[in-house]
Amino acid sequence: MSVVQRLGAGWLLDHLSFISRSGYETHGSLVHPPRGALHPCDPAAHATACASGDDPAPGGAVELEGRRGKTRYVFREEFFDVFKPHIEAAAPERLCQGGLNGIPTDTGGSRKCVFNQGELDALEYHTKIRKLIWEGTLHLVQEGLKSGFLHCTTAKLDCSKNVVPGPIGCGLAELCERAKQFPAINDSDHEAIRAIDDETFISEQDLHSCVIENNSSCAKMIMLMGQKYLVPPRSSFLLSDISCLQPLLNYKKKYDVIVMDPPWENKSVKRSNRYGYLSSWQIKQIPVLALAAPNCLVVTWVTNRQKHLRFVKEELYPHWSVKTLAEWHWVKITRSGEFVFPLDSSHKKPYEVLVLGRVQGNVSEVLPIPDHKLIVSVPCSLHSHKPPLTEVLAEFVKPDAERLELFARNLQPGWTSWGNEVLKFQHIDYFTVLQDEN
């Protein structure tokens, strides 16, 4: 379960627990595939690699070839070791020292006296929601402290630093670009789905041209470009960029929930050149209506730029025949229950926005979506690793809902995931071995 507390204000989530309880248990042995092939594998038979001088799997999960075992993985806890705020807030602005009658005064930040229009719009929006953010987060943090999930005093915690991990894995986005050089495939002759099993080899071309499924009740490990990635049970994915979405349409599923985290264009992204972004026009080209079931719930992560928020509500959703129903906020806190940035920081805010809407249809058959809910959690230190929404959204969709995440960077049980970095946070180095049974 990812939900630690549920109150009228929203939910307190345990992101780490959700990942580690997602069934990352592998069975069987590893057979190394030929170069350029993707193969389901298990670290159990990594002795071949060890003999050649390669590093074994994390945690020493190595067995001799031919022996079959069971290995359980959990996500590395240090990626959630956010013990202290990135910027310290003044004492009256700390949740642990505040109260319902102690909401701090909105200073509007002191970075400069002259604001451009975008900053003025952001300040106006923040002024409207700040009391909601403060009070709702305070209630949820107090419950988290009572339950022991959060620890207000730092005596029990090693607060020396927050973990900032380096890059792990191969360049998945670059691999998607290279896939465009493969010969064109006739869709009528090509299977839309490839299931992962212990005998099937999947070429790189198959990886980009069909949806890969793990229908088993255990995790599977696949090898791609010499790197290992864990695929959770009952999950499926397509590794491609926005120019190669046809395999997802060929999958012929209609989804009751579509969550997306677009790579929004902004000045800092342009300057850094660290990762790609899409223009508003490109995002509008995503065939949401072709993927959505009637009354599909659409959830879009939006940065704190009001330009993007207005675009989603006034252009993007109407273009997809989606009616905007609610705005929620993801509030990021430390393990001691403080905002990761001061609430009124002019540098960065400790929250992000989710815009929820439904594809217009027979609204009498669906539950209403409440407005102004909070999702409060300790964020992963890995960039853009968003909290899981499975349990949060469950009460607003049917039990057997088909779920799709667009621009995904990780996989989840019960979801189809698409993106040019869809396996990024599935890399074996993000996990550690908890249990190894032979």
Side-chain angles (χ1 to χ4, degrees):
M1 295 288 288
S2 64
V3 176
V4 177
Q5 296 289 338
R6 185 190 187 283
L7 300 175
W11 303 266
L12 177 64
L13 299 188
D14 185 347
H15 188 172
L16 174 63
S17 176
F18 176 84
I19 301 174
S20 297
R21 296 182 182 182
S22 291
Y24 285 106
E25 184 175 273
T26 60
H27 302 255
S29 58
L30 165 64
V31 179
H32 284 275
R35 183 175 180 82
L38 172 74
H39 187 266
C41 56
D42 186 299
H46 202 25
T48 306
C50 293
S52 64
D54 294 336
D55 292 334
V62 179
E63 294 181 308
L64 296 177
E65 189 167 2
R67 292 175 60 185
R68 301 182 66 84
K70 183 164 55 176
T71 306
R72 184 182 172 194
Y73 295 86
V74 293
F75 206 75
R76 286 165 55 183
E77 184 175 355
E78 60 263 35
F79 292 129
F80 287 88
D81 283 349
V82 182
F83 293 125
K84 60 181 182 179
H86 302 301
I87 298 176
E88 290 285 352
E93 298 178 22
R94 296 179 183 175
L95 286 165
C96 279
Q97 299 181 28
L100 291 179
N101 297 319
I103 302 173
T105 302
D106 183 8
T107 64
S110 57
R111 178 168 55 92
K112 60 182 182 180
C113 298
V114 180
F115 296 91
N116 61 37
Q117 188 58 50
E119 291 170 325
L120 288 172
D121 291 344
L123 182 57
E124 180 183 2
Y125 180 81
H126 174 72
T127 302
K128 292 178 180 178
I129 65 168
R130 64 185 305 280
K131 182 177 180 181
L132 166 79
I133 299 289
W134 175 270
E135 292 185 349
T137 305
L138 180 62
H139 281 303
L140 287 162
V141 164
Q142 287 174 338
E143 292 301 316
L145 292 169
K146 290 178 184 177
S147 68
F149 174 67
L150 301 173
H151 302 276
C152 194
T153 60
T154 58
K156 301 178 181 179
L157 304 174
D158 176 12
C159 297
S160 57
K161 63 179 180 177
N162 295 335
V163 174
V164 181
I168 290 178
C170 62
L172 297 172
E174 291 79 4
L175 191 61
C176 291
E177 283 297 315
R178 194 178 74 178
K180 297 176 184 178
Q181 302 174 12
F182 292 141
I185 293 176
N186 187 335
D187 289 339
S188 61
D189 299 331
H190 188 74
E191 56 187 335
I193 307 167
R194 291 297 299 273
I196 303 175
D197 59 42
D198 292 332
E199 306 298 332
T200 302
F201 287 94
I202 304 172
S203 68
E204 286 181 24
Q205 187 170 11
D206 285 335
L207 180 66
H208 300 287
S209 60
C210 63
V211 174
I212 309 299
E213 284 187 342
N214 177 14
N215 293 319
S216 70
S217 59
C218 63
K220 298 289 184 180
M221 195 181 294
I222 58 177
M223 185 177 289
L224 176 62
M225 299 296 293
Q227 304 289 322
K228 296 177 182 179
Y229 298 88
L230 280 164
V231 180
R234 299 175 297 281
S235 66
S236 57
F237 70 91
L238 171 65
L239 173 64
S240 77
D241 64 21
I242 197 170
S243 67
C244 302
L245 273 170
Q246 190 58 44
L248 191 59
L249 298 172
N250 295 344
Y251 197 33
K252 298 188 183 305
K253 277 193 176 183
K254 296 290 186 178
Y255 297 94
D256 304 290
V257 179
I258 298 178
V259 175
M260 68 186 75
D261 183 16
W264 296 104
E265 179 181 5
N266 62 60
K267 291 180 181 179
S268 64
V269 170
K270 286 183 176 180
R271 286 195 300 264
S272 68
N273 199 29
R274 285 182 301 173
Y275 56 92
Y277 59 85
L278 295 180
S279 67
S280 298
W281 179 86
Q282 288 173 305
I283 295 172
K284 287 175 73 171
Q285 305 314 305
I286 300 170
V288 164
L289 283 180
L291 297 165
N295 301 317
C296 173
L297 177 61
V298 179
V299 182
T300 304
W301 290 94
V302 186
T303 68
N304 283 316
R305 290 191 68 190
Q306 292 304 293
K307 173 184 175 182
H308 296 322
L309 183 58
R310 286 194 299 267
F311 167 72
V312 171
K313 296 168 67 174
E314 299 173 10
E315 291 188 50
L316 187 63
Y317 277 11
H319 178 73
W320 289 336
S321 297
V322 173
K323 181 180 180 181
T324 300
L325 299 176
E327 284 182 34
W328 292 359
H329 294 87
W330 171 36
V331 183
K332 292 171 267 190
I333 60 171
T334 67
R335 288 179 61 180
S336 59
E338 298 294 343
F339 294 120
V340 295
F341 290 98
L343 182 58
D344 296 318
S345 169
S346 59
H347 174 59
K348 280 188 177 181
K349 294 292 187 286
Y351 57 81
E352 295 184 32
V353 184
L354 300 87
V355 182
L356 293 83
R358 283 198 190 273
V359 173
Q360 296 182 25
N362 186 359
V363 295
S364 63
E365 297 179 357
V366 297
L367 293 172
I369 304 296
D371 203 2
H372 303 306
K373 290 291 185 179
L374 303 183
I375 298 170
V376 178
S377 71
V378 177
C380 183
S381 56
L382 301 171
H383 178 67
S384 290
H385 201 336
K386 296 295 196 294
L389 300 179
T390 303
E391 294 177 41
V392 169
L393 299 177
E395 60 188 277
F396 308 110
V397 296
K398 59 184 183 181
D400 59 345
E402 294 285 354
R403 300 173 175 87
L404 170 66
E405 183 174 9
L406 302 175
F407 304 103
R409 297 171 185 86
N410 62 286
L411 308 180
Q412 300 179 66
W415 289 72
T416 298
S417 304
W418 164 80
N420 65 350
E421 294 186 307
V422 72
L423 294 175
K424 182 173 182 177
F425 299 135
Q426 302 303 128
H427 194 280
I428 187 65
D429 286 352
Y430 290 122
F431 294 79
T432 187
V433 174
L434 181 66
Q435 185 176 337
D436 187 7
E437 299 177 355
N438 299 326

